[in-house]
Amino acid sequence: MRTLKSQPAKGLHGELTVPGDKSISHRGIMLGAISEGTTTLTHFLTSADCLSTLAAFQQLGVPIEREGTTVTVHGVGLHGLKASEEPLDMGNSGTTTRLIMGLLAGQPFSTTLIGDASLSKRPMRRVSDPLAAMGADITTTDGHLPVTINGEKLHAVDYQLKVASAQVKSALILAALQADEPSTLTELLPTRDHTERMLTAFGGEITTASDGLTITVQPQPQLKGQSMTVPGDMSSAAFFMTAASLVPGSQITLKDVGLNKTRTGLLDILNVMGGDVSVESEPTDGEPIGDLTIRSANLKPIDIGKAQIPAVIDELPLVALLAAKADGISRITGAEELRVKETDRISAIVTEFKKLGIDIEELPDGFVIDGRKPWHVVDPVLDAHDDHRIGMVIGIAALLVDQPLQLKGADSVRISYPEFFDDLDKLL
Ligand code: S3P
């Protein structure tokens, strides 16, 4: 049990560089592994999830070294991975699992994937079904882990995705690299495009049509190792953006944060809510990055629906927190994907927010929150539900009450942000 810091007298102040982006760190290892030559990733995220990816690829015969946050991957090419005798342990990481399923579907050996209790409850047919349409042979355990992938020769597809998910899209892209002909994938809504951008940087041929939804993947590329600096994770920066917006008297600067448009939904939402955020960015060759300065502000309520969800999917617990202090009723709908994250995040947020006396109503696909009602602590013992983002949003919510709260399962932050509480302390 961790005792959380309560309302800081003078707000949050200072400058911080958040750890590297989780999505980009995973993909850096994967694309580095299937490239020829060396890939160097600086500011790599050394959290439990990304270390699951690193260990899995070592087990698949890829030499990988790590010194602090610098990772060197000695690529083995698209056809150089080796079978692992032991099952690959995906830990808590949905991204590792889904993307590796796509990659291993076309490799000439069998692999079994296992994971922790939370990951073993998450749906995997969303990946195995479309991969089966490409000729993959994947057995799930009732749609879940453990999963066994018997590598097969894959054929091209023209596939319409059934869920707005970058993980599913990326799995299909990695499978399509191994097919016989070009594949076309069509998304329901645009989702994070790191795989597409990085694949291009590594020498692959992938194009997105002007509708932003239809992707064509050329098979059998000769990928070349790259050196890249991983931008700060917008999804980690988001906790401090929210804290500084809500705690009166705050002013902080977050340096070198990834500003890819498919990830900056929270910036747009804060703008609409009347938040005070300024962005300073310089053009880059790769992923856009910039410095964010956030000052506290009085916030207006917000109404967000399906089309806005993918760009803010991991930040929705924070949108709920912003709404819980806004001057009116906010509605978040079209977010049913939250129910299949590390925990059912809709249910977890409603349960934990109610302990703080927040006026929140659960919807099948989101919540309605009245931020005008004053909070009152009903139960000071909150629970992370074994979910890093729920643990961290509670860490921020605690700054808005004037008595110390207790958090069960605080070490869940190791999944995406092991230094979260230390970094928060630096700003207090
Ligand atoms: C991720 C995509 C998102 C996100 C997850 C990371 C990725 O999941 O929630 O934290 O790296 O592709 P979905 O694409 O399944 O929504």
Side-chain angles (χ1 to χ4, degrees), residues 78-143:
L78 194 50
H79 305 290
L81 298 173
K82 301 232 161 46
S84 163
E85 281 180 14
E86 298 297 317
L88 302 183
D89 188 352
M90 305 284 100
N92 188 249
S93 179
T95 308
T96 314
T97 313
R98 269 92 177 231
L99 271 60
I100 229 171
M101 281 170 72
L103 183 58
L104 297 185
Q107 297 290 316
F109 52 79
S110 296
T111 314
T112 296
L113 308 179
I114 56 170
D116 73 7
S118 148
L119 185 60
S120 302
K121 288 191 203 127
R122 298 182 64 189
M124 295 301 157
R125 282 209 180 103
R126 54 178 54 202
V127 187
S128 60
D129 282 352
L131 287 173
M134 301 179 79
D137 173 2
I138 298 177
T139 323
T140 70
T141 307
D142 235 351

Side-chain angles (χ1 to χ4, degrees), residues 25-33 41 44 53-54 57 64 71 73:
S25 295
H26 284 300
R27 288 158 171 79
I29 300 255
M30 295 186 187
L31 293 178
L41 306 167
F44 177 83
T53 294
L54 192 154
F57 278 86
I64 306 176
V71 168
V73 184

Side-chain angles (χ1 to χ4, degrees), residues 22-23 27 95 126 164-167 192 313-314 341 389:
K22 179 157 84 70
S23 296
R27 288 158 171 79
T95 308
R126 54 178 54 202
S165 163
Q167 292 182 352
R192 65 189 68 191
I313 182 72
D314 290 339
K341 292 296 178 189
R389 298 199 199 281

Side-chain angles (χ1 to χ4, degrees), residues 332-353:
I332 296 154
T333 58
E336 62 278 358
E337 275 294 299
L338 286 182
R339 297 221 181 255
V340 291
K341 292 296 178 189
E342 286 80 334
T343 188
D344 175 341
R345 287 188 179 154
I346 295 181
S347 156
I349 288 164
V350 171
T351 307
E352 300 310 310
F353 279 25

Side-chain angles (χ1 to χ4, degrees), residues 204-234:
E205 252 188 84
I206 181 164
T207 49
T208 304
S210 55
D211 63 2
L213 296 171
T214 310
I215 298 160
T216 306
V217 187
Q218 298 296 328
Q220 308 298 337
Q222 286 255 317
L223 303 178
K224 287 260 173 306
Q226 299 294 311
S227 287
M228 68 176 292
T229 300
V230 179
D233 196 327
M234 167 55 80

